[in-house]
Amino acid sequence: MARRRLIFSAALAAASLTTGLADAAPARTTVFNDIVVNERVDGDVVAFGADVYLGPLADVEGDVVVVDGDLHLDSGARVGRHVLAIFGAVEAAPDALVTGRTLAFSSLSNVVLVPGDGTPFQVNFAIRLLTSGGWLLVTTALAFGFAVRLRYGVWILPALGVRVLVLGVAVAVTFFAAVVAVFGLGPSLGMPLAAALTVIFFALRAVGLTVIGGLIGGALLKRWLGRPLPLTAEVFAGVLVVLALRFLPAVGGMLWSIVSLASLGSGVICLATATPGREIAAGTPASS
């Protein structure tokens, strides 16, 4: 319920930002109430905390934005611009048409971006395995290239405690609200801005996941081997453990989402905090 309240607050904040942009064309908007669209709509279709069903006669000239709900497109349904789903899935029949792009944030761990005239795919085990390998490669490369900065992040992370998770929630809510807002700027400006925000989002997650992996891997390897190892080895081991937990049945998705939120907070703190080089060179953790 806490996550839903945060999502709804972000959605309403984003709606207030985009109201002025939507005045040029009538729009269909719903809050906590599922809607069925089976006719021509000159403007946008926006739903908060609700599902949207586009029937075979649906012809939406604008965008379709669904926050904390699912979007279903029947065969013959058409969307003239873009589709954005936040904490929801997009299910499209083979003959459904989305002229623009489909951007789906089904969770904090999965993002699906589909070019125009395409049908979103479902994230399966093979895709999760592939993305897990990507996270492992990126985090290890970051540990190799920015060892001093990330080592400092590993040292200060335990002192921050739950504040990292709270900051991560704030960053995630701000990000999703910003994506909804920039989509109202139209395809020529909205899509590039949404793409730029997505790059920043994943960059913060990558940095934060590297820090968390270094903390976990360092503790495990020191316990097993009795001595510290290079940061790259610690990050590789720690991120590997985190990614393995992602595949646990029932709880894996929830654990990965929690780690993703903590990664956002860790990434912001690691990048925004000045690094005391002399303390790191001396091998002593910095006081918070």
Side-chain angles (χ1 to χ4, degrees), residues 6-65:
L6 288 169
I7 297 168
F8 297 151
S9 299
L12 293 175
S16 65
L17 292 174
T18 57
T19 300
L21 297 170
D23 290 340
R28 294 282 300 274
T29 304
T30 181
V31 179
F32 308 146
N33 187 28
D34 298 345
I35 60 171
V36 177
V37 178
N38 201 28
E39 68 275 350
R40 178 183 174 87
V41 176
D42 292 333
D44 304 326
V45 175
V46 182
F48 302 127
D51 295 337
V52 175
Y53 300 85
L54 300 185
L57 302 180
D59 186 1
V60 180
E61 288 299 319
D63 300 316
V64 177
V65 179

Side-chain angles (χ1 to χ4, degrees), residues 14 17-18 21 63 65 81-82 84 103 174-198:
L17 292 174
T18 57
L21 297 170
D63 300 316
V65 179
R81 291 176 60 186
H82 307 292
L84 172 64
L103 184 61
T174 303
F175 166 73
F176 288 126
V179 170
V180 174
V182 299
F183 256 78
L185 300 177
S188 60
L189 186 58
M191 285 305 298
L193 287 176
L197 289 172
T198 303

Side-chain angles (χ1 to χ4, degrees), residues 263-276:
S263 297
L264 289 172
S266 301
V268 170
I269 291 171
C270 183
L271 294 176
T273 307
T275 306

